[in-house]
Structure formats: C-alpha cells, structure tokens
Amino acid sequence: MADDMTALEALKDSVEETAVSREPVRDALGRSYATGKRKDAVARVWVKPGAGRVSVNGKDMPAYFARPVLQMVLAQPFKVANVEGQFDVMCTVKGGGLSGQAGAVRHGIAKALSLYEPSLRPALKAAGFLTRDPRVVERKKYGKRKARRSFQFSKR
C-alpha cells in the first residue's frame, strides 16, 4: 500500500511538471490576432491595449452594428473578463448577415483576449465565448420547398 502511495505521488509530481503554462502571444506591435467564426461569417480580429475603441471594417462599432443588441454582443467578452475600456479592437469581417458577423467578432475578440492575457481564459471559457457555435443553415433537400417544408398537399 505504501508503494502505491509513493507511485501516486511521483505520478502527481510528473503531471504537475507537464502542465502547460500559457505564454502571451503578441506580435511586434503588441497586438494579439485571432479568427472568429459564426454561421457563414468569418472575422479577423486584432486586440491591443488602448482606450476601448472598436472598429469593424474601417468603421466605428456603432456605425457598423447599429442595433444595440449587436453592440451588446460585442461587449460581452470584455464584461466577463472585467477589462472594459482597456483594449482597442480592429477587425475585418466577411460573409453572413449582421447577426452572424457580430457573433464572429465576439468569438474572435474572446480568442484574441485569451491569447493576449492567458489569465482571462478561464472566465471566457466558462462563459462559452471560446467555443465556436456549430449551428449553420440546413441545406435544401430535393422534393421539398425548403429544407423541411413540403409542397402543399391536395387530395383532389
């Protein structure tokens, strides 16, 4: 029994040594880059320390995402990580509609924040912002009007 305990202690020590401590990933300009995706939208996001400005495709966030709900979606990663107004975000987004693009930018911001400051990762992961939402539009099937909608049935 004592041999088993020492073996477990040795195994525990080796596991602690192999635990990966994440290092910040930043480029020469002090930015972190990540790609966010949602539905058909793909967002390329750069995060750097700043005054909290967010520019999307060269426009300010309120000009690009006019609906308050979409602006709230973009602010969620900052609120969860308690870093509101501390980072500037520059992103380009393509494909999909506005809702999908907002989700893609949120995903990219969360990934870039976790790369810039690895200590923020547990909070962002617990909130589910680091997981790509796998839901996409279902394809149309033959013999159907849409993906599942059938043609109207008439007995006569």
Side-chain angles (χ1 to χ4, degrees):
M1 184 72 174
D3 294 336
D4 291 340
M5 294 302 278
T6 56
L8 286 174
E9 292 295 326
L11 183 63
K12 183 179 174 184
D13 293 337
S14 67
V15 169
E16 289 175 1
E17 291 171 3
T18 59
V20 178
S21 62
R22 298 185 186 272
E23 293 293 323
V25 180
R26 300 176 189 152
D27 64 4
L29 299 175
R31 305 174 301 183
S32 284
Y33 168 81
T35 303
K37 296 181 181 181
R38 170 79 169 95
K39 292 187 179 179
D40 278 340
V42 179
R44 301 183 304 157
V45 179
W46 289 267
V47 171
K48 66 178 183 176
R53 288 186 298 275
V54 178
S55 73
V56 182
N57 289 350
K59 298 180 181 178
D60 287 337
M61 179 183 57
Y64 193 86
F65 294 114
R67 284 187 277 175
V69 172
L70 300 180
Q71 295 176 19
M72 180 195 71
V73 166
L74 263 63
Q76 285 175 338
F78 297 113
K79 287 183 181 162
V80 168
N82 291 324
V83 290
E84 294 110 329
Q86 296 179 22
F87 289 95
D88 286 345
V89 176
M90 199 280 291
C91 65
T92 58
V93 62
K94 293 180 182 179
L98 283 179
S99 178
Q101 288 184 349
V105 172
R106 180 182 78 171
H107 185 224
I109 288 172
K111 285 172 64 175
L113 281 175
S114 70
L115 289 173
Y116 188 87
E117 188 59 50
S119 63
L120 302 177
R121 183 176 172 83
L124 293 169
K125 188 161 179 66
F129 295 147
L130 299 178
T131 304
R132 188 217 190 275
D133 193 347
R135 296 176 295 169
V136 293
V137 177
E138 189 175 349
R139 76 173 188 87
K140 183 195 175 300
K141 279 70 167 195
Y142 60 89
K144 300 280 187 178
R145 217 171 77 187
K146 292 169 51 177
R148 298 187 181 198
R149 173 85 165 94
S150 297
F151 295 106
Q152 183 173 347
F153 174 75
S154 175
K155 192 169 185 178
R156 292 182 191 28

